[in-house]
Amino acid sequence: MKLKKIIIKNFRSYYGENCFELSDGLTLVIGDNGDGKTTFFEALEWLFDTSKENKSESNVSEMRKHELGIGDSDIVSVSVQFEHGGEREICKSFRFERQTNGNILTRDFSFVGYTQFGSERKRVDGKNLLEACFDTVVRRYCLFKGERELNVFDNNTALKTLVDTFSGIKQFDQYVENTEWFEQESDKLVTRELKKDKKQEDTVKRLEADMSRVMRDISDTTRDIKTKEKAVSDFESRIRVLEENQDACENLQTIKSRIDSKRTELNRMKLHVDLDYNALLLDDMWILRSFPSILQEYQSKVSMLSKEERRMQKAEDERIAVEKGKKEALKEIQKLANDATPLPWNLPDKETMQEMIDDEVCKVCGRPAPKGSEPYEFMVRKLNEYLEHIRQESAAAESKEMDVKPLFENEYVAELHTRGIQMSGDVEKTISKLATKIDDRLQFVQMRKNDVEKISQELQEAEDAKLQLLIQNPSLTEEMLDKTFHDYKGLSESSKRAELDLKDLQHKLSDLEELKASIKEEQNKIEPSNGIVKIYQRVHLTLERIMKAFGEARTANITSFLNMLENEANFYLKKLNAGDFRGVIRIIRTVDGSARIALYSSNGTPITNPGGAQKTTMYMSVLFAISKITTLKRDEDYPLIFDAPTSSFGEFKEDVFYNIIDQIDKQCVIFTKDLLNFDRESGTRKLDYSKINSLSCTVYRIHKQDGYDEEDLSTIRTITEKIK
Amino acid sequence: MAEKLYDIWARRNPSWEKRYEDSVIKAFSDYGKGVTSLGSAKGKLFGAGYEVFIIAYFIGLYNNQRRTLIEDSTKIKSFGQPIQYWGNIDSVKGRKAYPKLREFIFTSLIAKTDFDFIALDKGMISNKKAVDALMTTMEEYANWGFHFMEDKLIDNPNYFYRETAFLELFLSFDSSSAAVEDDDEPDSLD
């Protein structure tokens, strides 16, 4: 089958009729995002969809619809002209019409085919023609949307379908089944006949019982193996997914731990920075920063007051001392001759004294004391002394209270002075150092503020790195990556354990198979006494060998098919990766009949996480290989149609890739946004002619018609232009 | 033993002019909110009203500027808490008590009040008169401080709402220990 021409009419952005003529080799349809590449691909998907009559209004060109007046109608159609044992065409279409209420009605769906016989063109059923020339199974391996769909082995039945379709092994299955049936029937017959033999009856029954037990065990073990293989394969695929994300996962963990540590650091720093300065003025008494001079003023004032009081007290004390001194002197004068102790001042009394003076006689000793004599003078002095004493006593009594009352009745200055003493020393020192302490603290805060700024910036950078990582891996979420990190260890352990269990089970199965073979051998060795049974036995033996041969042949066929596929795939892989590391493709079979494509280094190491381009070329190589095998088996070639298969390629890889595809003898249609360059002047992307001219293929450029309204779908029209 | 002058003083309650109640005290504190837990009203720079009084007092003190209170007693007010309770706020979240500050205020009042303490000790003047004199000093310094703050707020209502506004003000005062003499004349430049 070779595609010749594709005509798209009024299908979504393809307004009016748009014709693409395809070359036998590569045809490139180049367009930027939104230019209509995927629409083109989906137009083909719509054409090839044989499952339903889809005449959805959403496939109608908005621009064309917009133009329709009430009652006007037009047609949506996609048709493909191709070679397949002659010229063929299939065309799918429906009519759309604007009704009086303004709505669009779609009707007259048709799917027709045309075959050319000589000069005669014959109309046939489109669906039948399509299935006859390009059946569903083949289409499965011909149309690919994006990079993701390239892996054709992504489901369990893919390998079986592939083998069934392309290897011719399917017909073989019937023979295998038949030989198995013959073997079973002949076995039953031999056993039944042997049981009738009295001599062998016990042996036969024992062997039969042994055999049935072994068969049961084999069946159980096989079931266990299947379960275990499924588990191993599940673990492997989950681990594979995890491994694909391992780098991203590790990066994320590193970034997250950096974010955590920065956050902690930031919070710690903020504690230093977030100060309530107003509270500090009071609580930490920062308000006393300028207090030293006032405290000093207080100290000198209080000290001066204290000094003044002490001075006054001293003067008072002196005055009292003087008074006291006078008394002492008086006593001195009163001293008697021979230092005799005088009588108390009140003896004799005043009246007696006055009488003796008046009588001029000392009535104590009885001697006369005439006026002017010494005894007379003594008596007069004694009387005066008496009177003075009385006077002094009364004066003393009068001033007694004044003498007891201290100069200072309060001690407030002393209180203030004590306070002053308490405040000197440590308190004064603390207050005088407050200014330095505050300055140091503020300087410290400023430094921490700088730290906060720096850390905030680093935190922002880490957050940005995290965001970038997640943007770069749009299919991954943070939760998935976190889970991956935690799951990986557990999964690897579980996987290893399951593999060990599987090995044990496989050993057990092979032991059981050996046991089964030895029972069989023993059964075959039984010597029947009846000659006809001996013949039965030999026939059974022969049928058993035939069965084994067919079984082994089937396995060998599948293996050889897969080997061929592998070889072909590696042939294309080598071409597509010319001059680059490529590894070796292996198609690995699993017990459930499915397969997966894996890349290995030639030394046998699996390449667990191939890059995007590596993976894409690996899958494409397998597709080319399948296509080649298809061609061999069916004597018919089929086109490969890819929508944006190279989105993970670098620019260099793109060039090499298109050059190689260009050289491969295979019809390919590739929709791509590669080979466009950004034009600074116009701000748009334009064709890279230097690269395009080096290709020999057909190139179409599709783009949106200029002057469209970004918000109005009915202004969008895809313009197609054949470049070469 | 006779009661200490400090204790008599601490039982007193300074007066201030009502005109600063809204413009300054309530603007900066929870005064009049009827709350006992200080700083509960968010956005206030201080808790109790007396904290604003302390700030005002120190502003007046460090500027060595007094302002006599208005004579009309109906335009005068005082706080509910006597001085002896000022600063006992360690139950308030994020704050700590500062009872010592009362003693420093007292010492500054003694330093700055012109009063015959000798005559007081001699019993020639009553201690009530002494404490009255201290309170007058305190009220006049604070009154000047309130006036200063109000003045700043008239020019710029947000003047004190920078976190470091008050701090910067107190940092601007001289912190050396040389006693400030009112009549200090500049040294001759000769």
Side-chain angles (χ1 to χ4, degrees):
Chain A
M1 183 196 198
K2 279 253 189 283
L3 300 176
K4 293 289 176 192
K5 199 187 266 183
I6 298 169
I7 301 162
I8 304 174
K9 187 180 176 188
N10 293 330
F11 188 89
R12 294 194 223 160
S13 63
Y14 288 85
Y15 170 89
E17 199 168 275
N18 299 269
C19 179
F20 295 85
E21 286 173 353
L22 309 175
S23 71
D24 286 355
L26 176 64
T27 302
L28 280 178
V29 181
I30 302 172
D32 211 343
N33 291 338
D35 278 344
K37 300 187 301 292
T38 300
T39 304
F40 189 150
F41 189 86
E42 283 169 359
L44 290 178
E45 280 187 323
W46 178 70
L47 172 65
F48 295 144
D49 179 10
T50 53
S51 67
K52 55 188 176 295
E53 287 193 1
N54 178 357
K55 52 181 197 301
S56 163
E57 192 200 324
S58 62
N59 285 335
V60 180
S61 160
E62 281 291 327
M63 187 181 261
R64 185 69 193 109
K65 220 158 64 177
H66 190 69
E67 288 173 349
L68 290 186
I70 289 169
D72 289 348
S73 74
D74 203 344
I75 280 178
V76 170
S77 71
V78 178
S79 66
V80 172
Q81 292 172 16
F82 58 96
E83 277 279 334
H84 189 89
E87 280 180 32
R88 306 276 188 269
E89 183 181 348
I90 51 167
C91 178
K92 193 179 264 188
S93 66
F94 64 87
R95 182 167 288 280
F96 56 98
E97 179 185 337
R98 187 168 298 279
Q99 294 178 290
T100 43
N101 61 6
N103 290 345
I104 293 290
L105 173 78
T106 61
R107 57 183 163 90
D108 303 344
F109 177 87
S110 94
F111 192 13
V112 293
Y114 300 95
T115 54
Q116 195 81 26
F117 289 108
S119 60
E120 193 192 346
R121 189 172 148 94
K122 195 179 165 197
R123 183 181 160 130
V124 295
D125 180 74
K127 185 175 170 179
N128 290 345
L129 182 62
L130 178 65
E131 288 300 339
C133 304
F134 195 38
D135 61 79
T136 316
V137 178
V138 173
R139 288 204 304 272
R140 166 78 186 83
Y141 298 104
C142 288
L143 282 102
F144 304 96
K145 194 188 211 168
E147 280 183 324
R148 241 162 227 280
E149 280 192 6
L150 296 177
N151 182 7
V152 288
F153 289 143
D154 62 348
N155 67 71
N156 290 349
T157 57
L159 179 70
K160 190 171 174 344
T161 314
L162 189 70
V163 169
D164 288 353
T165 315
F166 302 116
S167 70
I169 290 167
K170 202 175 177 182
Q171 293 92 317
F172 211 82
D173 286 351
Q174 192 59 45
Y175 300 124
V176 175
E177 267 175 42
N178 287 343
T179 55
E180 279 170 353
W181 185 80
F182 285 136
E183 190 274 338
Q184 280 161 14
E185 289 303 307
S186 63
D187 187 39
K188 274 185 212 162
L189 181 69
V190 172
T191 310
R192 195 170 64 226
E193 289 304 322
L194 280 174
K195 273 190 207 166
K196 290 179 188 164
D197 196 330
K198 288 284 173 202
K199 270 207 292 188
Q200 305 294 356
E201 193 187 355
D202 289 347
T203 317
V204 171
K205 278 188 178 166
R206 178 178 58 81
L207 288 176
E208 197 183 24
D210 286 354
M211 184 56 107
S212 103
R213 200 180 56 247
V214 168
M215 289 308 283
R216 205 172 48 240
D217 286 353
I218 286 178
S219 150
D220 288 351
T221 311
T222 311
R223 200 186 54 236
D224 289 352
I225 286 178
K226 272 191 182 163
T227 314
K228 204 47 93 176
E229 274 185 335
K230 173 87 172 52
V232 169
S233 136
D234 284 352
F235 281 132
E236 273 178 359
S237 58
R238 280 175 68 192
I239 285 174
R240 217 167 34 246
V241 172
L242 296 191
E243 277 171 350
E244 280 174 11
N245 302 332
Q246 205 179 358
D247 283 353
C249 178
E250 277 171 14
N251 283 342
L252 183 73
Q253 294 308 320
T254 317
I255 291 170
K256 281 180 86 167
S257 78
R258 195 160 75 227
I259 288 174
D260 282 350
S261 82
K262 289 293 164 202
R263 282 216 178 110
T264 316
E265 213 178 328
L266 195 62
N267 287 338
R268 211 178 58 233
M269 288 300 165
K270 274 188 176 164
L271 284 182
H272 295 304
V273 170
D274 290 344
L275 295 181
D276 181 348
Y277 294 105
N278 296 319
L280 280 169
L281 281 174
L282 300 171
D283 300 2
D284 285 18
M285 300 201 288
W286 283 16
I287 205 165
L288 296 178
R289 182 181 169 277
S290 304
F291 206 75
S293 63
I294 290 164
L295 187 58
Q296 208 174 54
E297 204 178 328
Y298 172 85
Q299 297 286 34
S300 33
K301 184 171 185 176
V302 167
S303 146
M304 194 261 290
L305 284 172
S306 170
K307 209 189 250 171
E308 178 63 14
E309 278 199 353
R310 275 179 284 122
R311 190 190 59 72
M312 289 167 84
Q313 185 65 55
K314 189 169 170 245
E316 176 69 1
D317 289 349
E318 276 169 8
R319 189 187 62 77
I320 291 166
V322 168
E323 288 293 327
K324 208 174 168 186
K326 274 183 189 165
K327 278 186 203 167
E328 293 298 323
L330 203 62
K331 278 180 189 164
E332 196 64 29
I333 295 163
Q334 288 172 345
K335 274 181 186 171
L336 298 179
N338 306 325
D339 271 349
T341 306
L343 285 169
W345 63 270
N346 50 353
L347 285 179
D349 61 19
K350 182 188 160 194
E351 288 73 24
T352 312
M353 277 305 238
Q354 194 60 55
E355 193 183 300
M356 288 196 293
I357 290 168
D358 290 347
D359 295 347
E360 295 184 10
V361 64
C362 171
K363 293 180 181 177
V364 178
C365 64
R367 280 181 284 178
K371 208 171 182 173
S373 70
E374 198 183 336
Y376 182 88
E377 287 303 318
F378 179 82
M379 284 192 295
V380 170
R381 203 165 65 238
K382 180 89 176 157
L383 178 64
N384 285 340
E385 209 175 291
Y386 183 98
L387 290 173
E388 175 63 14
H389 206 104
I390 293 296
R391 190 191 59 77
Q392 269 187 12
E393 207 168 25
S394 80
E398 210 172 82
S399 70
K400 194 175 181 183
E401 259 178 74
M402 270 182 73
D403 279 349
V404 170
K405 193 181 174 190
L407 179 59
F408 298 110
E409 61 181 48
N410 293 320
E411 291 178 339
Y412 291 121
V413 169
E415 176 202 328
L416 298 178
H417 193 225
T418 310
R419 183 173 291 279
I421 292 164
Q422 283 166 350
M423 284 192 141
S424 63
D426 283 352
V427 177
E428 203 169 353
K429 212 186 277 174
T430 310
I431 294 297
S432 68
K433 280 184 178 167
L434 200 55
T436 321
K437 190 180 148 188
I438 294 170
D439 287 350
D440 288 352
R441 181 73 180 274
L442 293 177
Q443 211 173 347
F444 176 79
V445 168
Q446 189 50 50
M447 278 157 70
R448 295 296 80 76
K449 273 185 180 166
N450 296 343
D451 288 345
V452 164
E453 203 172 311
K454 192 169 152 249
I455 297 164
S456 300
Q457 203 179 342
E458 286 167 351
L459 179 65
Q460 189 54 49
E461 281 168 9
E463 297 273 14
D464 288 351
K466 183 172 124 186
L467 203 64
Q468 212 168 7
L469 179 80
L470 292 171
I471 289 170
Q472 279 167 355
N473 299 280
S475 57
L476 304 174
T477 64
E478 192 176 338
E479 290 72 26
M480 273 164 69
L481 288 176
D482 275 343
K483 201 167 176 296
T484 301
F485 183 73
H486 294 114
D487 282 359
Y488 187 73
K489 208 174 158 227
L491 267 181
S492 327
E493 279 167 9
S494 306
S495 170
K496 273 181 198 145
R497 214 166 33 240
E499 271 173 36
L500 285 178
D501 290 351
L502 183 62
K503 278 209 176 104
D504 286 347
L505 285 170
Q506 280 162 342
H507 278 300
K508 189 178 168 191
L509 184 65
S510 98
D511 289 349
L512 286 168
E513 292 286 358
E514 270 177 33
L515 192 59
K516 179 184 161 191
S518 72
I519 296 171
K520 272 248 173 219
E521 213 179 311
E522 221 178 312
Q523 278 175 333
N524 291 336
K525 275 183 187 160
I526 294 173
E527 285 281 340
S529 29
N530 188 332
I532 192 78
V533 179
K534 270 186 193 169
I535 294 170
Y536 286 167
Q537 208 177 27
R538 280 187 200 148
V539 170
H540 167 65
L541 215 58
T542 312
L543 287 172
E544 190 183 292
R545 281 180 190 151
I546 293 171
M547 177 194 77
K548 271 188 190 163
F550 269 89
E552 280 161 13
R554 180 174 63 174
T555 312
N557 274 346
I558 294 174
T559 310
S560 98
F561 175 78
L562 288 182
N563 284 343
M564 181 170 68
L565 191 60
E566 230 175 56
N567 289 339
E568 289 296 340
N570 279 312
F571 166 80
Y572 285 108
L573 186 70
K574 192 174 172 182
K575 276 191 173 242
L576 289 175
N577 284 293
D580 199 356
F581 171 77
R582 57 176 190 279
V584 180
I585 291 174
R586 288 217 191 135
I587 297 167
I588 297 160
R589 291 183 66 194
T590 47
V591 70
D592 59 2
S594 63
R596 63 182 175 86
I597 306 167
L599 208 56
Y600 277 75
S601 158
S602 57
N603 64 5
T605 317
I607 299 164
T608 48
N609 193 8
Q614 233 175 347
K615 220 172 349 186
T616 301
T617 51
M618 170 174 87
Y619 291 139
M620 284 188 116
S621 302
V622 174
L623 295 177
F624 282 127
I626 292 173
S627 183
K628 188 167 177 184
I629 291 167
T630 316
T631 310
L632 288 175
K633 295 288 171 187
R634 295 206 172 177
D635 284 334
E636 190 59 63
D637 199 1
Y638 294 96
L640 289 172
I641 303 167
F642 300 101
D643 178 25
T646 60
S647 36
S648 63
F649 283 26
E651 201 180 327
F652 170 72
K653 194 83 187 174
E654 271 169 33
D655 295 1
V656 176
F657 177 78
Y658 290 115
N659 273 308
I660 290 162
I661 300 264
D662 196 21
Q663 301 307 316
I664 291 176
D665 181 23
K666 178 91 205 159
Q667 188 177 36
C668 273
V669 182
I670 297 180
F671 301 94
T672 181
K673 60 176 176 182
D674 299 338
L675 309 172
L676 287 172
N677 273 341
F678 185 74
D679 181 48
R680 281 183 187 283
E681 267 180 43
S682 64
T684 56
R685 277 156 63 82
K686 297 206 158 156
L687 285 171
D688 185 341
Y689 280 100
S690 64
K691 285 178 186 166
I692 288 167
N693 289 335
S694 71
L695 300 171
S696 65
C697 61
T698 300
V699 177
Y700 277 90
R701 167 74 164 121
I702 57 173
H703 59 87
K704 285 187 283 292
Q705 189 179 34
D706 290 342
Y708 61 89
D709 177 347
E710 287 165 6
E711 291 174 358
D712 184 359
L713 197 60
S714 70
T715 64
I716 306 285
R717 176 183 178 180
T718 299
I719 301 294
T720 63
E721 197 183 336
K722 189 170 185 178
I723 303 298
K724 54 185 274 190
Chain B
M1 194 177 158
E3 196 177 16
K4 286 185 173 172
L5 197 60
Y6 173 82
D7 295 325
I8 303 168
W9 168 77
R11 277 204 312 276
R12 297 284 283 271
N13 230 336
S15 299
W16 38 271
E17 292 184 9
K18 267 186 188 171
R19 55 181 285 220
Y20 301 120
E21 180 170 348
D22 287 329
S23 62
V24 181
I25 298 177
K26 281 186 176 171
F28 292 153
S29 73
D30 295 334
Y31 179 71
K33 290 270 182 333
V35 286
T36 47
S37 66
L38 304 173
S40 65
K42 286 213 166 167
K44 295 293 180 179
L45 307 182
F46 299 100
Y50 66 73
E51 298 200 316
V52 187
F53 185 92
I54 295 174
I55 298 290
Y57 169 73
F58 276 98
I59 292 174
L61 175 70
Y62 291 143
N63 280 293
N64 203 19
Q65 297 284 346
R66 298 170 183 234
R67 194 178 158 92
T68 317
L69 268 71
I70 196 162
E71 275 181 25
D72 184 351
S73 66
T74 61
K75 293 181 176 172
I76 300 283
K77 217 176 160 177
S78 61
F79 297 112
Q81 272 178 309
I83 299 167
Q84 58 187 331
Y85 301 118
W86 289 11
N88 294 346
I89 56 163
D90 48 356
S91 63
V92 177
K93 199 179 167 225
R95 296 289 305 268
K96 54 186 181 192
Y98 50 92
K100 274 270 166 204
L101 193 63
R102 300 195 292 257
E103 296 183 30
F104 286 99
I105 294 173
F106 179 74
T107 42
S108 64
L109 289 174
I110 299 293
K112 295 293 184 186
T113 304
D114 188 14
F115 184 78
D116 189 351
F117 289 100
I118 308 263
L120 173 69
D121 261 5
K122 280 183 173 167
M124 291 153 71
I125 309 174
S126 72
N127 55 24
K128 182 184 175 297
K129 283 254 181 260
V131 173
D132 281 349
L134 296 181
M135 291 308 287
T136 302
T137 307
M138 191 175 184
E139 286 159 0
E140 286 182 0
Y141 273 136
N143 198 37
W144 192 87
F146 282 132
H147 180 71
F148 173 88
M149 285 195 253
E150 192 189 51
D151 226 31
K152 292 278 179 202
L153 289 174
I154 289 168
D155 287 348
N156 174 11
N158 293 318
Y159 184 83
F160 289 107
Y161 282 98
R162 283 171 302 117
E163 57 169 10
T164 53
F166 280 113
L167 176 72
E168 280 165 22
L169 176 63
F170 284 102
L171 288 180
S172 71
F173 299 125
D174 182 19
S175 67
S176 71
S177 59
V180 181
E181 295 296 329
D182 287 347
D183 50 2
D184 251 5
E185 279 184 31
D187 290 336
S188 167
L189 294 173
D190 298 336

